[in-house]
Amino acid sequence: TVRVRPPATSSAPSTSATPSPRVSRAALTVEQAARRYLAVVRPYNVALERLEQAINGGRPVTELRRRAAQVATANRTHIRRLTGTLWPTAVRGPMRGLTAASGRAQRHWLLAARARTRDALVQQVLNAVRHDGKAPASKIRTLLRLERYDENDYS
């Protein structure tokens, strides 16, 4: 909410509270929401793809931990940005599902970033991707008239 203060005058200050008008935000249009959604999820998808490539490429555990930390950071940011956006009404339910799944995965991303061994890190990554939010994300893409997710878009 926005608080409006009365203009300063030379008279004695008032002791009554100034009402706070509500500022209403309009929900994004489908087109705006599609652009916003892609912009919000891109850093997470890129970080995830880079981690996957590093794991598959046999990179050292120190690099894998760094990449897992990047995924955790991107995930936290995208949850915040997704929940902080006023989506079109039809998208709100699936968006709650996606952010809930992302929230459940976050613990595992953080554990992966602190894993001591490659096996422990990979196990946490597998635990995290069990909460991939694939169903709600697919529904969101359909509702926003976006193409299906393609990991090649992020590699």
Side-chain angles (χ1 to χ4, degrees):
T1 61
V2 175
R3 298 205 184 269
V4 178
R5 301 189 79 141
T9 64
S10 59
S11 64
S14 170
T15 57
S16 65
T18 303
S20 299
R22 294 204 178 253
V23 175
S24 63
R25 298 183 308 167
L28 298 177
T29 66
V30 170
E31 295 77 21
Q32 292 168 327
R35 286 190 304 273
R36 171 85 173 155
Y37 177 76
L38 291 176
V40 168
V41 300
R42 182 170 184 68
Y44 172 79
N45 290 333
V46 168
L48 182 59
E49 185 59 28
R50 287 180 180 159
L51 173 60
E52 182 181 327
Q53 290 172 352
I55 291 171
N56 293 340
R59 304 302 302 162
V61 72
T62 54
E63 180 179 339
L64 299 181
R65 279 197 303 266
R66 182 176 54 80
R67 295 217 179 262
Q70 290 170 342
V71 174
T73 298
N75 189 49
R76 183 184 64 238
T77 300
H78 106 277
I79 291 169
R80 183 176 38 80
R81 292 181 70 198
L82 290 173
T83 57
T85 299
L86 189 54
W87 299 102
T89 303
V91 179
R92 292 177 191 167
M95 195 62 70
R96 283 189 300 273
L98 177 59
T99 56
S102 297
R104 288 188 297 274
Q106 184 66 4
R107 173 178 174 268
H108 301 291
W109 292 127
L110 294 170
L111 290 170
R114 293 190 304 263
R116 295 282 183 211
T117 67
R118 178 184 180 79
D119 288 344
L121 185 140
V122 168
Q123 184 57 56
Q124 290 304 323
V125 169
L126 293 172
N127 291 342
V129 298
R130 286 188 186 105
H131 306 288
D132 63 5
K134 187 175 185 175
S138 180
K139 181 72 171 173
I140 290 164
R141 285 180 168 272
T142 298
L143 291 168
L144 296 180
R145 300 182 207 128
L146 296 168
E147 294 179 8
R148 297 181 74 193
Y149 175 83
D150 182 354
E151 71 178 23
N152 294 322
D153 292 341
Y154 304 102
S155 52

